Amino acid sequence: MNFINQIDLKGKRVMFRFDFNVPLDSSQNITDDIRIRAVLPSLNYALDEGARVIIISHLGRPKGKPVPQMSLAPVAKRLSRLLGKQVLLANDCIGPDVEKIVQDLKPGCVLMLENLRFHKEEEANDDEFSQKLAYFADVYIDDAFGNAHRAHASNVGITKYVKACGAGFLMKKELNYFQTQLDKPVRPFVAIIGGSKVSDKLSTLINLIKKVDKMIIGGGMAFTFLKAQGLEIGTSLVEDHLIEQARDILEKAQKLGVKLYLPIDCVIAQSMSAEAVTKIVPVQEIFPDWMGLDIGPATITLFREVIANAKTILWNGPMGVFEIDAFSRGTSAMVHALAGTHALTIVGGGDTDVAVQKAGENDNISYISTGGGASLELLEGKTLPAIEALEKCAD
Ligand code: AMP
């Protein structure tokens, strides 16, 4: 695979695929611009090289038709401020009007095309749509890690029709952390997996158990494992059909000599609400009509000790329902624990990334992914379609 710094960009029309799928509030204000900031190294590099920059991205789920609330206008505005230069926004991503603007684009200028998903052909990986996008570019650079696990026209189809293509610096960084560093981790290597369901992360657990020295399982998914060990878990989240699989993972860990840690106490309530009365109990004592919604203080101490001497820590998924303050302590304590270690700390995107931000520890984590789904698929050992397409294109 080629990377941006191995391709001649001078004077070329360089099309960047970014993942600018940023969260917006009801007034279309960007509430978190980390995905925009994350691609500035690639953009600044191309501009310094004298490229004519064309940006393509999706935002939200407009389902194949123009939805004004999902316009990339707020993104163009924010990017313009971050770059300190004008970012033009075309009113579509294909068509004669766009072609005219692209043709007039001068070196050092930045043009953003409107939301790719205003066309249903984008998610359908439609060949003709790919060709239309490719027509605007001399060079194609994919830096949209957050979308790399999807096979769409703008990140897979397009690579068949561009003259030169490669990955940007963000993609390079994500692959470095989620593939290179984790393939040969500095040991002890500890994985912390949480979140709601075992089913979402089953393949990740199966793949990681072979690689780690220790594994911590928390969050809602821990209750399926606790039930697999014969405990009564009240009305806690459980996936009964996966109890057998959970047992297999526990056995596998034992066979491989991997130390696997589950919560030993938890915060319980009768409902998942901020007003609910809460109690802290050992996992053996969960009341029949109560549910576990966070790890308890004894578990926090245990998990802290487990990661204390780690050299590499990977974390994906919160330890509890961290969106509600009463159940956020466990997740927040784990963020601070990670931030306080001397290990290489790698955090998956999505909810875990939100939890790190909420705890104000962004600067104390070695790497926070910009792609929850894509990083999970890498952890499952899968090849991402966008990466595969870039590799083929370089051949
Ligand atoms: P995931 O997307 O799989 O990482 O799951 C994140 C979600 O898991 C968050 O919205 C949490 O509220 C939820 N979660 C974490 N712990 C629990 C729990 N004990 N019971 C129910 N949901 C949980």
Side-chain angles (χ1 to χ4, degrees), residues 195-196 200-201 219-220 223 237 272 292-293 317-321 323 351:
S196 54
D200 289 344
K201 293 177 190 168
F223 294 97
L237 195 69
M272 197 189 289
L293 294 167
M319 296 291 100
V321 182
E323 298 91 338
D351 285 304

Side-chain angles (χ1 to χ4, degrees), residues 35-69:
R35 285 186 162 179
I36 307 178
R37 290 174 189 271
V39 301
L40 292 177
S42 291
L43 262 180
N44 282 321
Y45 176 80
L47 290 168
D48 288 349
E49 291 289 299
R52 306 156 196 253
V53 171
I54 304 162
I55 297 170
I56 54 173
S57 176
H58 72 283
L59 174 65
R61 293 169 194 263
K63 302 205 171 120
K65 52 179 187 322
V67 176
Q69 293 80 2

